[in-house]
């Protein structure tokens, strides 16, 4: 970080002993899909000596993308931990997926980390950087998480580090652009005929030394003469930015008066500002050339992480309570303190079963310890995703993950991360505590999955395995929600987007051996009477022995929305014996549940039994149930039956530039905008009521409409009459499917 000459102390296959929180750095890599996070992790691991050869995303050989789906798709779909050793520090690199569908894995990485590296590609559009990464930046800013920015792909044609730095200053430093400044300027070779200018080294702005990587190793050299002008301008701005964040108020006066500020003082102030989250350095990095041991900028990044980012003990820990909600003192990041840890990710291994990635916030976790597992479910707009649970569990084997590899551990001290096998029924977000008092950590938020995927077993052999496979998927991924819809009789897996659904289906097939078919998702419609109607149910049969005799007459009238179904007995003179009135009601309610027009439940009506006939021998409970159902069907045939569709209250949060497009799109979905509300950061919350049948794929469409910058939530409001033309089409489809069946 201070442009010092560096020799690494890591060695492949050997992990530093992380028994002191001060020697640990937990860093999450955040960025748009394709920005180069996984390649950067590979380059950092190679420089630190954790790898002998860097892998490539294109051929599925990276240490981070170890899952079969990732290797096949050439894209990260889950959180991966790659620990490396650097100058006696354990650096836990948490590689996260960049695609928005896998935001649950990103949230897990943010929970486990104490600082973040935001990776942006110089080859991508500015909208991509702003759209998918700005929201995460603001989340980190809200909790004061230290952040730095790494610009990648500078060796791509027609890219500019200066332009990318300006974009980052505008997007990430909109309140204070001088808090987002480069520490190094890239040195690029001559531009070829294709516009490609290879990155050959870096120039440190504080010490003005050049680090040349063109030979395959990091060599120090003086800056070129033609670079001194841009270097001086960038250096002056950096020094002013550092001094503005300095705790020494006399530095700015000395600097403005022409006094020389010691580089050591500047470096110390820089490190403090980065650790406090008030200054965000911009660096650049590129993977190592074939046969080289160091990628360009990787030494500088590792130095930044160890010297500028805080240790776990320097970060405020999440609040804790007892399981019943009573507040308790904040845990202390000390290996000797009582244990407080959290499951940040759950996965399945074909050989050892469920594996939990655990962040130890306080105390020390050891194999064979008995810990208390307490879970209340992660928070989401739709509520907790898991049931409350508590139990004592014996800890299984501990291991340090390195991508897909597992290295045995004797213990895991405060501040570090470890994998625990067979941790009972522990789920993501659960708290592990020791001692005499069970504790529960403040939960972290997960987004509500809003894209429905209706599935059914492909064949008889898959039916028994389907429920088990779906339950495991949901246990591993809190951004999935399983619904058994009683109205539509569908099994629905709610996901974050199309890529999320594709991965879910593939995992069911490859990991759990379940062949499933996706089917169109159906919203739960209702039926009601548009006007008053009468019906007569006559069920009379004589076929030898006791016959069947039941006649009933009913009146049906519509009620106000939400009233349900009422049954009233107004029979006079005992024309329907008292014991059979309940039978008529049972038949009416059974037919109402099946529907009278398009196979959807009948609601918001009052059914009044007014008359009937019985037989002393042939009348029975079953006969009057049948008569009641026939009477309701006849009443429906004599009036117009309305279809009712569910309407959702929708809140869409978008940048101001997209408000018009969003409101127009909602109108095209038969939505009614009920209000708008200006929020911070030039965004608007659009509130609307939209039929649920129109927003089945809205999470995908909104992402496309707003370039990934918009998000929404939804909640059921009520059922409303469906437009007649649309209702007729649905009724015809129901009749056709019945005829085909």
């Amino acid at each position: 970080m201070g442009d010092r000459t560096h020799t690494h102390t890591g060695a492949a296959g050997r992990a530093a002993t992380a028994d002191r929180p001060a020697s640990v750095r937990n860093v999450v890599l955040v960025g748009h899909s394709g920005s180069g996070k996984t390649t950067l992790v590979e380059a950092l691991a190679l420089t630190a000596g954790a790898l002998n050869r860097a892998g490539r995303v294109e051929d599925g050989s990276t240490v981070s993308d170890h899952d079969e789906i990732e290797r096949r798709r050439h894209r990260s779909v889950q959180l991966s931990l790659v620990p490396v050793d650097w100058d006696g520090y354990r650096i836990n690199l948490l590689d996260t997926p960049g695609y928005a569908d896998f935001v649950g894995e990103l949230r897990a990485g943010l929970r486990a980390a104490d600082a973040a590296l935001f990776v942006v590609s110089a080859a991508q559009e500015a909208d991509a950087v702003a759209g998918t990464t700005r929201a995460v930046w603001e989340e980190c800013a809200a909790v004061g998480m230290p952040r730095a920015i790494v610009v990648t792909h500078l060796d791509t044609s027609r890219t500019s580090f200066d332009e990318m730095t300006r974009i980052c200053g505008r997007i990430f430093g909109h309140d204070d652009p001088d808090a987002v400044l480069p520490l190094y300027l890239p040195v690029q070779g001559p531009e070829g005929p294709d516009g490609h200018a290879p990155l050959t080294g870096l120039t440190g702005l504080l010490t003005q030394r050049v680090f040349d990587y063109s030979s395959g190793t990091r060599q120090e050299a003086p800056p070129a003469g033609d670079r001194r002008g841009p270097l001086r301008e960038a250096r002056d701005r950096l020094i002013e930015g550092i001094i503005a964040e300095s705790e020494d108020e006399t530095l700015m006066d000395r600097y403005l008066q022409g006094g020389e500020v010691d580089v050591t003082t500047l470096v110390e102030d820089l490190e403090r500002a980065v650790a406090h989250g008030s200054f965000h350095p911009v660096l650049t990095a590129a993977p190592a050339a074939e046969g080289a041991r160091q990628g360009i900028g990787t030494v500088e990044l590792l130095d930044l992480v160890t010297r500028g980012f805080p240790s776990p003990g320097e970060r405020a820990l999440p609040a804790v309570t007892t399981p019943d909600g009573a507040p308790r003192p904040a845990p202390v990041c000390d290996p000797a303190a009582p244990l407080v840890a959290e499951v940040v990710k759950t996965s399945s291994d074909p050989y050892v079963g469920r594996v939990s990635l655990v962040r130890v916030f306080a105390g020390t976790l050891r194999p064979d310890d008995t810990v208390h597992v307490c879970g209340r479910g992660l928070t989401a707009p739709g509520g907790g995703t898991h049931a409350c649970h508590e139990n004592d569990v014996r800890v299984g084997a501990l291991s340090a993950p390195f991508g897909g590899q597992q290295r045995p551990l004797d213990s895991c001290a405060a501040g570090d991360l470890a994998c625990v096998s067979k941790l009972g029924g522990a789920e993501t977000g659960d708290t592990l505590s020791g001692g005499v008092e069970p504790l529960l950590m403040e939960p972290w938020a997960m987004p509500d999955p809003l894209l429905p995927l209706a599935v059914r077993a492909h064949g008889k052999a898959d039916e028994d395995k389907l429920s088990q496979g779906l339950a495991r998927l949901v246990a591993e991924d809190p951004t999935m929600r399983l619904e058994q819809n009683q109205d539509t009789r569908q099994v629905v897996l709610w996901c974050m987007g199309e890529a999320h659904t594709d991965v879910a289906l593939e995992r069911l097939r490859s990991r759990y051996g379940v062949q499933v078919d996706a089917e169109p998702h159906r919203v739960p419609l209702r039926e009601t009477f548009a006007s008053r109607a009468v019906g007569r149910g006559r069920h009379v049969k004589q076929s030898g022995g006791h016959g069947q005799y039941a006649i009933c007459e009913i009146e049906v009238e519509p009620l106000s929305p939400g009233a349900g179904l009422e049954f009233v007995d107004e029979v006079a003179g005992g024309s329907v014996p008292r014991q059979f009135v309940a039978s008529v009601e049972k038949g009416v309610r059974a037919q109402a549940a099946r529907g009278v027009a398009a196979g959807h439940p009948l609601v918001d009506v009052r059914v009044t039994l007014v008359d009937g006939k019985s037989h002393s021998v042939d009348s029975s409970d079953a006969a009057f149930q049948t008569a009641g159902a026939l009477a309701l069907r006849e009443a429906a045939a004599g009036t117009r039956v309305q279809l009712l569709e569910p309407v959702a209250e929708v809140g869409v949060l978008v940048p101001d530039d997209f408000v018009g497009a969003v409101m127009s799109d909602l109108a095209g979905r038969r939505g009614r905008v009920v209000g708008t509300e200006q929020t911070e950061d030039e965004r608007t919350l659009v509130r609307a009521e939209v039929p649920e049948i129109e927003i089945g794929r809205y999470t995908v469409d909104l992402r496309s409409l707003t370039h990934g910058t918009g998000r929404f939530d939804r909640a059921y409001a009520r059922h409303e009459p469906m437009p007649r033309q649309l209702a007729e089409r649905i009724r015809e489809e129901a009749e056709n499917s019945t005829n085909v069946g």
Side-chain angles (χ1 to χ4, degrees), residues 141-158:
V143 297
M145 177 178 280
R147 286 145 284 155
I149 301 162
V150 185
V151 178
T152 59
H153 300 155
L154 273 178
D155 52 358
T156 307
S157 60
R158 290 180 293 278

Side-chain angles (χ1 to χ4, degrees), residues 360-431:
V360 179
F361 288 95
T364 301
L365 186 66
R366 297 180 178 86
D368 298 326
D369 282 353
T370 298
V371 300
H372 188 80
V373 176
C374 185
R376 289 292 184 268
L378 300 178
T379 59
T385 58
H386 299 276
C388 301
H389 53 274
E390 285 187 61
N391 59 311
D392 290 325
V393 176
R394 187 177 181 183
V395 177
L398 297 184
S399 58
F402 186 78
Q405 304 172 22
Q406 299 291 335
R407 301 169 178 173
L409 275 180
D410 294 329
S411 63
C412 181
D416 206 359
L417 294 136
C419 280
V420 185
S421 61
K422 301 179 181 177
L423 194 59
E427 298 173 343
T428 301
D430 286 2
T431 303

